[in-house]
Structure formats: C-alpha cells, structure tokens
C-alpha cells in the first residue's frame, strides 16, 4: 500500500533543509560515565538518539481523546520502533505541523496517512543505511523492535548503530506502508503515555502553571447575553487583602463580539487581578456592578422555544428529493411527531483558564485550547503581533468537548498580561464557566412519515427550527448548515424526502458541542423511527433493517455514498450482544438506535428499569462499533464509554435555561450530570476489518439519547419527545 499524502502537505513535516536528517541536538545521559547522547532529528516528528531512544512528537492538543498516544503509535508502527524505547513529547503550536487542532473526531482521519508516511520514510532511511553497513539488499531488510533486521540470517542492527550512516541519505519521495497483518503496535492495548502522572496527580495542566512574578486573575462577566460593561463600585473589592487591580474588559475596544468567523472574542466584563487566585475570587464576589443591557434582547428559554415552534411554518428547503406532497397524498397513512431538545453546556472539569506572559518582544501563552491557530490569529488581530512574536504551549487539557475550540478566555488573559506588564494566570470560576459557555443549540423538530399499507415509508419530511450556531459564530453560508443539511439521515434512502430549516435570531451564544448537530437530530430521527415501528406493530430492529434495505452503497450527495452494509452489520451484531430477542421482567425495557458519524458506524441497545414512582435506572448499555482499524483498543473503548455517558447524562439531566437574557444554571447543583453510582454496565465490541480508521470521540454519543428514550417507552409505554428526561413525569 502506497502513501497517499501529497508532497506539498508532507514536505513541511519530514524534510530538513538538506533533504536528509539533522544532527547536533544533545541530551545529557543519565549515567555520568557515558558521553552525552546525540540526538538525530529525522523530521519534526521523529528523533532518534545514540542511546537508542526514539522521541516522537505528539502534535495535536490532548484533551482526553488519547491522541498523545494514538498518533505516536502510528509513527512507531511504521518506523518499527520498540514502544518501550519511545518517548512522547507534546509539541508547541507551529505551522509546520498543519491541522494542529482537536475537534470533530478528525485527528485520526486527518493524520492516519500522514503519520504512516512520516514513519515509513524514516524507516526506509534506516534500512538503506543498514543495507550499506551490512552489505545486504534493501529488499531483504525490515525494521522491528528498534532494529533493522536481515530476514534470512537473523542479523540485526539497532537504530542507534545506524545514525552516522543516515546523515547523507535523503528522505525518499514515496514509500510502501507496512501491511496491516504485520502490525505490532497499532491494534494492541497501550496505556496512555501520561497514565502514571494522571493517576498519581503529577500531571501538569494549564491551570497548574506557575511563572516568576506571576499575578492571578478572574473575571466577572455581564450575565446577560450580549450585554455591555456598565459601571461599578470596587471599594469593597480593593479592600480585599491581595487584590492588585480592577480592569474593564470591553470587547468593543478590541473588535467587538467576534474576532473572526467561528472565533468569538471575550464577553464584556470586569477582571480582578490579585496575588492569589483565591483573593481574585473573593474580590470579584464583592464587586458591585450595574450592567449596561440596553442592546440585549433579554430572552427566555420558554420564549425562544415558542419562537422555534412558530418558525416551523416559515422555513427554507435544504434538500428535496421526489415530491413529498404527492407522497403524502398517495400514502395509506401519514404520521407526525414533534421533538424538542434544550441548550446544553460543555462543563469540562477544568474550567476556562490561561496563562500569558506578554513581553515587549514576545507573547508567550500556556493555553488549554483545542484550536491554537485561532488563538494565534486572535493575538495577531487584537494586538498587531507577527506570528514570530507568539509562542503557544499546549499543556494537557482537562476536557473540552468543543468548548475550548473557542479562545475567548485566552484573549481575556492576553489583555490583562499586556496591561499588567507581567505574567497573568486567569482562572474562571465554575459559575462563569457555565454562564458564559457557547452552548449546544436548542431546537424543535417536526417529523412526518408517509407510509403504505404495510408500514413502509414512502415519504419523509424533517423540519428543524432554532437559532443557528453558524449565525451566532459569524460563519459564512446558510444558517441551516450547522443544524440540518443535505447529508442528514435518511437522505438517499427515501425517494420522497424533504429537509427544511426555520431560522431564528437570538443573543444566546452558540457553538460546537460534542457530536454537534447530530446530538439533536439523532434524537428526533431515531425516536421517530421507533414510533413508526410501534405504530406498525413491528420489532424496532426489524423495522429499522427493513427501512435501510439491502447492503449497498447508497448515493447521498455528489460522490458521497452511505455504506448501508456496515450499518446493518453493527445492528445485527448489537442484537446478538444485547440478547435483544429475549424477554424482560415487567418494568424493564430495551431501546435501540444506530447511526453513522465521522465515518464510523455505531449501534446501541440500552436496557432500563422503572419503579412505581417513575424513577429510571439504566441497567446496561450494549454498543457495537465499526470505526475501521482500531489504533488503540484501550483508548477506543474509553472514547466510546465517554461519549455514551455524555449522551446519557445530557438526555437525563442536561438543560441550560435562560431567563431575562441570562443563563440560570451556575454549577453542578443545578446543571446535573450522571454520578458514579448511576454508571451502567457497558459491553462494547468493535467490528474487525482493514478499512481506514475513522472518528470515535463523538459518533457514539448521538444514538444514546434515542436509545434511552425508546427503552423507557418499552418499559412504561410512555413516549419522551422532549429532553431532558428529568422534566418528564414517568409512571409504570
């Protein structure tokens, strides 16, 4: 298998100025009687030293998705390194790495070929060096366990014995990839490279950064969305021991609400700077502010949902296949249902924070960001800096889920550091973190199915109305693009299909949330399919499989086709795994949903019980996943578990409400998430194949909510069409 990475993309990552490796970086050996190890830099991603250590650079931000382990695993595999002789180092932000961001479950998708190519090119250089030194044909040599081996004789040379010979060998233009059946690292259970420090508390997150002469800050933002700063009395604040200064943060002085498309600026507010974070927090509590809300809409959740419902009758058509009106006229029956989902917050365990040392010649940043390029561009735009005047470090991040794709909190910090003339660490309180999130959009969905006398769907109409995150973020294109688009399932499966969108303008800040639009549309689509199955007195899985039809490639948009066979396979497998066809005691029920996302196919069955008071207990979750090649089964399972638990937590409890223009919720007491005692048993299986790996951090989330709602219906006979479930009075 040949590399498919084009030369322009790859050259930045692998080619040194001479076209060969660079030599001359030194690491002091741990043993005093040995000379220091010499490090040979083959590319920005791969270094090998004379002590036999292979240093691999983890280029993407690590937010718990495991890329600091999985991407180096791919490099090591193609290189033929010994994993126990690998050191992984987190990269700072640098344009040389390209696509250096975290989001959309794209890390493996974008870097699979890139990492393989980087490893294979260095492998080929080592083999050529060994060929000269061993006087053996290149075709007879391979790498494994940190050595170049001669296949016939068994002779081997460790990588470190070949470093001198590699200095004059250029990286090849093209390489052959290792066959998948020869993999020794990829596909094996590998602990996260930071596991020890994560367990023993030694991990250094951004919130742990300490610099000489650093001061500490927090922010108090206008609670009303799109409100201004106003006036304040800081007498009590300045009386707090340790408080140093009070700084106004007015985004109009720095370009307004948005730095650029998809890049929100800081929210208007006031910062308190002190000699400790605690003093800053106490000072902010005592600040008396009269906020300027003249330009704000002062909305409420209830009012917005009413506007969304009304907008269902005022829509634009986003996709039209066949004739939905004729299909409805000719149908034996038409069935309609309306579903609603709320705004959701991200609530990463590490609240928003950042450390900036803004000096005259350099702005150095320690940022827990998913999007360092946007941070760099924001600093350039707000302060007129040149790229070479900005240095961005990427410490491990305590959760993101899309929230840290935006860099508003870092802009706060940079302003404060520049003003104070010294390093500043800004830490938001949990309350500010929840009240000034960029929320998952709330939405209303009107679903209509036209069916023949046998219950087969001949027409499908899905209308979605809400405030678009595309509009909220100032992005180009149709507002529907982030909410419902021409790819939405079941596009391609139904001859008469119409997808429509009703757009409402709102002040509520909206953004990416784990699994983005699919987290909402999947609840409506797969709850509706379960309703259709019950209406036609059919088993939900049987009905879904008939709805899909035979295994085939289903044309959807242009050259994109949906592989129905892969979705069918995970559905059939989860049926077996969950014992779907066995009976359950009274008060228990199973629910099912299956979905494709980020190139992966997931089917889930959730089993619940309900008591006489309507309390729901999730007894178990069965999930089958086809994500192509599984890089690290340990990390993959963790991603599936985490995504499903996020989906279940949101379905059960997740809800941001707005009153008089401000977010009501403020902490975990009123924005509840699942507790450890509520965690269900999970059985997760992966389909084994040799297809390219695809995304995994988000795809398991969307099926969780409909599968749970469908299970509750199976147990109680009560349909849930509005989330969260905590607001529904259930009874058996």
């Amino acid at each position: 298998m040949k590399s498919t990475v084009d030369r322009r993309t790859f050259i930045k990552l692998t080619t040194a100025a001479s076209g060969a490796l660079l030599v001359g970086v030194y690491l002091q050996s741990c043993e005093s009687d040995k000379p220091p190890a010499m490090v040979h830099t083959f590319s920005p991603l791969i270094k090998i030293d004379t002590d036999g250590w292979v240093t691999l650079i983890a280029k993407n931000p690590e937010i718990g998705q495991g890329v600091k382990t999985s991407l180096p695993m791919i490099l090591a595999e193609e290189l033929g390194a010994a994993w126990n002789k690998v050191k992984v180092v987190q990269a700072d932000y640098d344009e040389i790495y390209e696509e250096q961001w975290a989001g959309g479950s794209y890390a493996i998708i974008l870097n699979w070929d890139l990492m393989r190519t980087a490893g294979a090119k260095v492998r080929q250089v080592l083999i050529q060096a060994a060929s000269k030194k061993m006087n053996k044909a290149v075709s007879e040599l391979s790498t494994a366990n940190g050595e170049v081996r001669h296949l016939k004789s068994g002779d081997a040379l460790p990588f470190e014995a070949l470093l001198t010979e590699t200095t004059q060998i250029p990286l090849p233009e093209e390489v052959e990839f290792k066959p998948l059946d020869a993999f020794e690292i990829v596909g094996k259970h590998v602990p996260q490279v930071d596991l020890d420090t994560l367990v023993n508390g030694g991990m250094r997150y951004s919130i742990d950064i300490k610099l000489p002469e650093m001061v500490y800050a927090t922010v108090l933002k206008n609670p009303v969305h799109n409100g201004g700063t106003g006036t304040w009395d800081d007498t009590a604040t300045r009386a707090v021991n340790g408080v140093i200064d009070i700084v106004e943060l007015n985004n109009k002085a720095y370009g307004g609400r948005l730095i650029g498309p998809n890049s929100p600026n800081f929210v208007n507010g006031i910062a308190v700077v002190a000699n400790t974070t605690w003093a800053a927090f106490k000072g902010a509590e005592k600040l008396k502010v009269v906020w300027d809300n003249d330009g704000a809409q002062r909305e409420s959740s209830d009012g917005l949902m009413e506007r969304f419902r009304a907008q269902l009758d005022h829509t634009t058509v986003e996709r039209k296949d066949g004739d939905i009106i004729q299909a409805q006229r000719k149908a034996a029956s038409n069935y309609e249902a309306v579903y609603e989902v709320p705004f959701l917050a991200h609530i990463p365990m590490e609240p928003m924070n950042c450390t900036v040392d803004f000096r005259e010649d350099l702005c150095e940043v320690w940022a827990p960001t998913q999007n360092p390029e946007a941070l760099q561009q924001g600093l350039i735009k707000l302060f007129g800096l040149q790229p070479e005047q900005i240095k961005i470090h990427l410490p491990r991040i305590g959760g993101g889920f899309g929230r840290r794709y935006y860099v508003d909190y870092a802009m706060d910090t940079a302003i404060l550091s520049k003003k104070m003339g010294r390093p500043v660490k800004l830490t938001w309180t949990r309350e500010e973190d929840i009240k000034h999130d960029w929320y998952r959009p709330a939405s209303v969905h009107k679903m209509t199915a036209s069916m023949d006398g046998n219950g087969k769907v001949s027409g499908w109409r899905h209308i979605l109305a809400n405030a678009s995150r595309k509009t909220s973020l100032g992005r180009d294109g149709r507002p529907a693009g982030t909410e419902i688009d021409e790819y939405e399932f079941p596009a391609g499966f139904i001859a008469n299909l119409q997808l429509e969108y009703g757009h409402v303008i709102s002040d509520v800040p909206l953004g990416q949330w784990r699994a983005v639009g699919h987290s909402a549309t999947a609840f409506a689509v797969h709850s509706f399919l379960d309703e259709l199955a019950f209406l036609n007195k059919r088993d939900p899985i049987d009905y879904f499989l008939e709805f899909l039809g035979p295994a085939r490639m289903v044309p959807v948009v242009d050259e994109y086709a949906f592989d129905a066979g892969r979705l069918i396979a995970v559905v059939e497998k989860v049926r077996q795994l969950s014992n779907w066809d066995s009976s359950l005691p009274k008060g228990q029920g199973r629910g099912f949903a299956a979905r494709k996302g980020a190139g992966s196919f997931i089917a889930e069955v959730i089993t619940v019980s309900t008591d006489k008071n309507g309390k729901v207990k999730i007894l178990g979750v069965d999930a089958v996943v086809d994500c192509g090649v599984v890089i690290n089964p340990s990390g993959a399972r963790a991603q599936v578990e985490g995504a499903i638990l996020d989906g279940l937590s949101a379905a059960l409890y997740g809800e941001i409400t707005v009153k008089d223009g401000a977010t009501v919720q403020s902490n975990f007491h009123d924005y509840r998430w699942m507790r450890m005692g509520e965690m269900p048993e999970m059985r997760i299986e992966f389909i084994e194949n040799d297809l390219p790996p695809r995304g995994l951090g988000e795809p398991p989330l969307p099926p969780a909510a409909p599968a749970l709602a469908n299970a509750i219906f199976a147990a109680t006979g009560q349909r849930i069409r509005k989330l969260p479930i905590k607001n529904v009075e259930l009874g058996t």
Side-chain angles (χ1 to χ4, degrees):
M1 181 179 179
K2 288 189 176 181
S3 163
T4 58
V5 177
D6 63 87
R7 188 171 181 228
R8 177 191 171 277
T9 300
F10 186 75
I11 196 167
K12 291 184 179 181
L13 282 173
T14 58
T15 307
S18 64
L21 61 82
L22 299 177
V23 184
V25 181
Y26 292 88
L27 293 176
Q28 183 63 45
S29 171
C30 295
E31 299 181 30
S32 59
D33 59 341
K34 290 180 62 178
M38 181 178 290
V39 178
H40 295 240
T41 301
F42 287 81
S43 80
L45 294 173
I46 301 173
K47 303 175 183 180
I48 303 174
D49 71 31
T50 52
D51 281 345
W53 285 97
V54 175
T55 299
L56 302 178
I57 305 303
K59 73 182 188 70
N60 284 38
E62 173 60 75
I63 55 174
Q65 79 280 43
V67 294
K68 191 174 178 181
T69 303
S70 57
L71 294 185
M73 284 175 68
I74 302 169
L75 281 171
E77 183 65 70
E78 284 291 345
L79 178 61
W83 188 251
N84 63 353
K85 290 285 286 184
V86 164
K87 299 176 183 178
V88 177
V89 175
Q90 178 66 53
D92 291 336
Y93 173 68
D94 195 313
E95 291 180 352
I96 197 170
Y97 295 120
E98 296 191 3
E99 305 294 356
Q100 198 180 2
W101 51 278
S105 299
Y106 275 110
I108 296 297
I109 296 174
L110 293 174
N111 288 291
W112 171 242
D113 277 357
L114 193 65
M115 296 296 103
R116 294 190 77 184
T117 302
K121 288 198 171 191
V122 177
R123 164 168 50 85
Q124 190 62 31
V125 169
L126 290 165
I127 285 175
Q128 288 183 35
S131 173
K132 294 178 181 179
K133 195 164 186 175
M134 300 170 75
N135 197 26
K136 304 291 185 183
V138 166
S139 60
E140 297 178 359
L141 300 174
S142 65
T143 61
N145 202 35
E147 299 176 328
V148 179
R149 296 174 177 174
H150 184 241
L151 303 178
K152 294 180 180 179
S153 67
D155 294 341
L157 287 173
F159 289 172
E160 61 266 29
L162 298 166
L163 299 182
T164 301
E165 286 78 9
T166 60
T167 56
Q168 300 305 314
I169 301 175
L171 293 167
E173 290 291 328
E174 293 187 359
V175 290
E176 293 285 337
F177 289 154
K178 288 176 64 174
L180 299 184
D181 58 9
F183 279 5
E184 297 179 326
I185 298 173
V186 168
K188 303 299 189 295
H189 290 269
V190 174
Q192 289 195 39
V193 295
D194 292 330
L195 184 60
D196 287 348
T197 51
L198 286 168
V199 171
N200 66 26
M203 177 56 60
R204 196 180 188 211
Y205 294 87
S206 175
I207 205 168
D208 300 315
I209 299 296
K210 292 183 179 180
L211 300 175
E213 300 183 2
M214 184 172 75
V215 293
Y216 303 79
T218 195
V219 290
L220 191 67
K221 303 284 189 174
N222 187 334
V224 173
H225 305 309
N226 209 30
T229 49
T231 61
W232 63 90
D233 179 353
D234 58 17
T235 304
T237 298
R238 292 187 182 276
V240 172
N241 185 32
V243 168
I244 298 170
D245 202 358
I246 314 296
V247 180
E248 180 181 8
L249 296 169
N250 184 341
N251 62 35
K252 290 182 179 179
Y254 293 89
R257 182 174 175 271
L258 296 173
I259 301 170
N262 210 41
S263 189
N265 202 353
F266 61 86
V267 171
N268 290 321
I270 303 162
V272 178
V273 184
N275 57 19
T276 66
T277 297
W278 183 250
F281 282 1
K282 298 307 290 183
E285 287 178 8
K286 295 181 179 297
L287 197 61
K288 298 176 182 179
V289 186
V290 178
W291 299 106
D292 176 9
N293 295 316
D294 287 347
Q297 293 193 57
R298 309 295 289 263
E299 298 161 309
S300 71
S301 299
D302 290 343
L304 280 168
M305 296 306 288
E306 285 296 328
R307 291 171 64 192
F308 297 165
R309 295 182 196 112
Q311 201 67 30
L312 292 171
D313 296 324
H314 307 280
T315 63
T316 58
V317 175
E318 301 303 320
R319 176 169 179 147
K320 182 177 182 181
D321 298 347
D323 192 328
I324 189 65
I325 303 301
Q326 281 294 102
Q328 291 175 352
R329 288 173 180 167
K330 294 179 179 180
S333 64
N334 292 289
Y335 184 74
E336 181 180 293
V338 176
Y339 303 89
E340 299 183 0
V341 297
F343 298 108
L344 293 176
H346 296 84
I347 57 168
M349 289 306 297
E350 181 188 18
M352 297 305 105
N353 71 93
C354 187
T355 299
V356 176
D357 186 4
F358 204 128
R359 305 189 288 276
E360 184 176 346
D361 59 340
L362 181 69
C363 182
E364 191 168 8
V365 184
W366 289 260
T369 176
Q370 295 176 236
N371 191 2
E373 181 180 3
L375 174 52
Q376 182 197 61
Q377 293 304 309
L379 293 170
I380 290 171
K381 186 169 183 178
L382 263 62
F383 302 104
L385 300 172
Q386 298 300 312
E388 59 270 19
Q389 294 177 289
I390 302 168
K391 186 174 183 61
I392 300 173
H393 304 287
L394 301 175
R396 189 179 177 103
I397 303 170
F401 318 114
R403 172 60 180 94
R404 285 187 159 97
Y405 199 79
Y406 310 118
V407 297
D408 47 327
Y409 54 94
M411 297 300 104
D412 282 338
T413 319
I415 290 168
L416 294 174
S417 180
K418 189 173 191 295
K419 178 175 178 59
M420 301 302 295
R422 58 199 295 188
V424 172
K425 177 161 74 175
L426 173 71
T427 306
W428 287 21
T429 63
R430 176 67 62 190
E431 288 76 12
E432 291 295 321
D433 193 67
I434 289 178
K435 288 182 174 293
H436 294 288
D437 202 345
W438 299 87
Y439 306 108
R440 194 282 303 271
S443 54
V444 176
H445 304 250
K446 184 176 180 181
M447 313 293 298
T448 308
S450 304
M451 294 167 284
D452 64 18
N454 296 317
K456 182 177 180 179
V457 177
S458 57
W460 182 279
R461 190 180 187 187
H462 182 171
I463 306 174
L464 186 160
N466 75 346
S468 166
R469 67 182 168 92
K470 179 171 279 193
T471 301
S472 182
L473 293 167
R475 291 168 59 176
D476 294 333
R478 298 167 69 86
T482 53
E483 313 307 311
I484 187 170
D485 58 30
E486 56 188 346
Y487 293 90
E488 181 61 47
F489 183 82
F493 286 86
I494 303 295
N496 301 294
L497 174 139
Q498 194 155 299
L499 306 176
E500 302 174 42
Y501 180 65
H503 185 212
V504 172
I505 300 293
S506 169
D507 280 347
V508 177
L510 307 172
Q512 280 101 300
W513 189 87
R514 193 170 188 172
V516 289
H518 297 292
S519 68
T521 57
F523 172 67
V525 168
H526 294 285
S527 295
F528 190 55
L529 283 167
D530 196 79
E531 291 206 41
L532 297 181
F534 179 77
L535 184 70
N536 289 286
K537 300 179 180 179
R538 301 296 309 282
D539 174 88
I541 288 183
D542 287 341
Y543 190 82
F544 184 72
L545 290 173
E546 291 175 14
F547 183 86
L548 292 178
R552 67 203 187 282
M553 297 302 294
V554 178
V556 179
V557 177
D558 299 327
E559 297 180 359
Y560 169 69
F562 191 114
D563 191 338
R566 294 178 73 181
L567 187 58
I568 291 168
V570 294
V571 171
E572 291 176 337
K573 184 68 175 177
V574 84
R575 182 175 210 153
Q576 299 171 11
L577 182 65
S578 65
N579 297 312
W580 174 266
D581 295 307
S582 64
S583 60
L584 289 171
K586 183 180 179 181
Q588 293 186 18
R590 294 189 187 97
F592 155 81
R595 189 83 172 177
K596 179 187 179 184
S600 294
F601 299 80
I602 297 94
E604 297 171 16
V605 170
I606 293 175
T607 306
V608 304
S609 66
T610 56
D611 62 22
K612 62 182 180 181
N613 298 315
K615 183 178 180 181
V616 175
K617 181 178 181 180
I618 303 172
L619 301 177
V621 177
D622 295 283
V624 176
V625 181
D626 177 359
C627 60
V629 172
V630 178
I631 307 300
N632 182 0
S634 297
R637 180 181 177 86
Q639 285 296 285
V640 175
E641 289 177 344
I644 291 173
L645 288 174
D646 260 6
L648 294 176
S649 294
L652 286 168
Y653 305 117
E655 181 182 34
I656 286 293
T657 55
V658 178
K659 184 178 181 181
D660 199 23
T663 296
V664 173
Q665 288 72 27
S666 62
N667 212 314
F668 289 115
H669 71 285
D670 56 5
Y671 192 82
R672 193 172 183 277
W673 224 233
M674 290 178 72
R675 306 297 195 247
M676 289 185 68
E678 298 175 279
M679 297 296 108
E681 178 184 355
M682 288 196 184
R683 290 183 292 184
I684 298 166
E685 291 191 5
F686 292 88
I687 300 289
E688 293 185 9
N689 57 46
D690 59 359
L691 297 170
R694 289 297 177 254
L696 201 53
E698 296 176 307
L701 186 149
L708 176 58
N710 296 338
I712 292 171
F713 172 77
T716 67
Q718 187 170 345
R719 281 289 174 195
I720 294 173
R721 298 191 182 98
K722 184 176 181 179
L723 296 178
I725 294 166
K726 70 172 185 177
N727 295 338
V728 180
E729 292 187 9
L730 293 171
T732 56

